[in-house]
């Protein structure tokens, strides 16, 4: 069955990439984006909350939304899926998630393609990046100001229409080109360029395994598709 095939692929692989999305954090009670009833985009408008135009139009609205999500992330803990992934010591973990839970579970230096919600940076792009402590002290209702240029601070995440951080993207591409196995876990596979990484791994000769409860466009690339929740499935595969 699928679990045994995946175990075999893991045993034989020497260069593993684990590509993750919001579904990996769902069992930590962090909402996904596109699940029909519980996803963030079912309740909030991405154009107003996750674009530069939205922030410029109403910085306090956007800042407040991220502050409440940041507070929720602080209350959450990594789940069995994050811990199982962290036990794949030689794997490169490439995540679209901004919650920092892979690192909190012990994954060394995960590639964060869409940034990190606990860090601020300058909205004007002067180059200032703050650390999480800056935000602990900040007012949740209005964005603080950049200490270098006085513009608003914003969360250090990637909004629609923005480029991914070049260094993270370069690491992700390199890992996918070199991989002999790519585990795709908990992503709808709809947001590009990230969603193109499994195809890059496949074109470079990697076997592809897709894990999640629902069908996604990435299933078509997969050698094995395993339907299930990441926190149920990954520990049985990794142990
Ligand atoms: C479980 C589970 C369990 C549930 N276990 N699984 C056409 C129109 C308009 C735009 C575009 C277009 N084509 C391409 C674009 C561009 C756009 C894009 O891709 N849009 C598409 C949506 C159409 N991309 C961009 O804009 C990107 N930038 C870019 O392209 O720049 C180009 C450029 C060129 C030149 C100059 C400048 C720029 C940037 C994309 C940034 C995405 N940002 C977000 C928000 C981050 C900040 C925040 O958190 O607020 O990133 S959007 C959101 O989606 C977030 C996620 O990382 C990303 C991916 O979502 P993910 O992780 O896949 O989550 P879901 O909810 O979609 O799926 C969850 C899955 O888990 C489901 O399958 C569930 O079944 C499953 N699941 N429980 C396992 N227990
Ligand atoms: Zn600045």
């Amino acid at each position: 069955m699928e679990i045994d095939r995946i175990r075999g692929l893991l045993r034989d692989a020497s260069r593993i990439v684990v590509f993750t999305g919001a579904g990996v954090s769902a069992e930590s009670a962090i909402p996904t984006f596109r699940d029909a009833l519980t996803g963030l985009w079912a309740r909030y408008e991405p154009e107003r909350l996750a674009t530069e135009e939205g922030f410029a139009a109403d910085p306090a609205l956007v800042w407040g939304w991220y502050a409440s999500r940041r507070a929720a992330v602080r209350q959450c803990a990594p789940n069995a899926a994050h811990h199982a992934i962290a036990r794949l010591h030689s794997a490169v973990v490439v995540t679209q998630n901004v919650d920092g839970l892979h690192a909190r579970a012990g994954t060394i230096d995960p590639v964060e393609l869409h940034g990190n919600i606990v860090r601020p940076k300058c909205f004007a792009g002067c180059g200032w990046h703050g650390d999480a402590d800056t935000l602990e002290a900040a007012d949740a209702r209005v964005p603080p100001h950049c200490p270098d240029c006085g513009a608003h601070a914003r969360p250090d995440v990637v909004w629609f229409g923005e480029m991914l951080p070049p260094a993270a993207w370069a690491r992700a591409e390199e890992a996918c080109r070199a991989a002999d196995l790519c585990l795709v876990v908990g992503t709808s596979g709809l947001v590009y360029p990230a969603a193109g990484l499994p195809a890059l791994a496949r074109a470079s000769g990697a076997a592809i395994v897709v894990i999640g409860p629902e069908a996604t466009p990435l299933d078509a690339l997969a050698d094995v598709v395993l339907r299930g929740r990441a926190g149920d499935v990954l520990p049985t595969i990794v142990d």
Side-chain angles (χ1 to χ4, degrees):
M1 63 192 249
E2 283 88 3
I3 297 239
D4 297 319
R5 284 184 65 201
I6 299 171
R7 283 200 184 119
L9 287 168
L10 268 176
R11 227 180 356 255
D12 296 342
S14 53
R15 290 177 308 277
I16 303 168
V17 170
V18 185
F19 175 56
T20 69
V24 163
S25 295
E27 291 155 74
S28 294
I30 296 176
T32 63
F33 293 91
R34 294 173 186 78
D35 280 295
L37 296 175
T38 54
L40 290 172
W41 297 157
R43 284 176 290 151
Y44 301 100
E45 293 173 56
E47 299 80 7
R48 289 179 71 197
L49 295 164
T51 62
E52 290 174 10
E53 294 76 12
F55 185 86
D58 195 341
L61 173 81
V62 176
W63 186 259
W65 187 62
Y66 278 95
S68 68
R69 285 177 55 202
R70 210 162 48 233
V73 163
R74 274 200 214 102
Q75 304 291 314
C76 289
N79 64 53
H82 299 104
H83 288 297
I85 291 168
R87 289 199 292 280
L88 295 170
H89 296 291
S90 63
V92 178
V93 176
V94 177
T95 187
Q96 300 167 87
N97 299 343
V98 298
D99 54 37
L101 290 180
H102 283 299
R104 280 170 60 189
T107 290
I108 311 286
D109 204 14
V111 180
E112 295 182 323
L113 292 174
H114 291 161
N116 191 306
I117 199 171
V118 307
R119 289 191 310 251
K121 68 175 183 181
C122 176
F123 180 61
C126 79
W128 175 75
H129 286 76
D131 53 29
D133 297 340
T134 328
L135 289 183
E136 297 272 4
D139 187 333
R141 288 162 302 178
V142 285
H145 292 275
C146 168
D148 290 354
C149 78
H152 280 130
R154 57 163 280 185
D156 188 4
V157 298
V158 181
W159 285 331
F160 288 107
E162 294 187 313
M163 275 180 46
L164 276 53
W169 182 248
R171 278 180 69 206
E173 279 194 320
E174 190 189 322
C176 288
R177 282 212 182 88
D180 48 21
L181 175 63
C182 176
L183 299 182
V184 178
V185 192
T187 179
S188 62
L190 294 173
V191 175
Y192 281 82
L197 288 169
L200 176 63
R202 179 163 186 104
S204 310
I208 310 290
V209 171
V210 174
I211 297 170
E214 286 171 24
T216 77
L218 298 179
D219 297 357
L221 293 173
D223 297 273
V224 188
V225 176
L226 182 53
R227 287 268 168 276
R229 300 187 336 152
D232 296 334
V233 164
L234 282 171
T236 64
I237 290 169
V238 170
D239 291 335

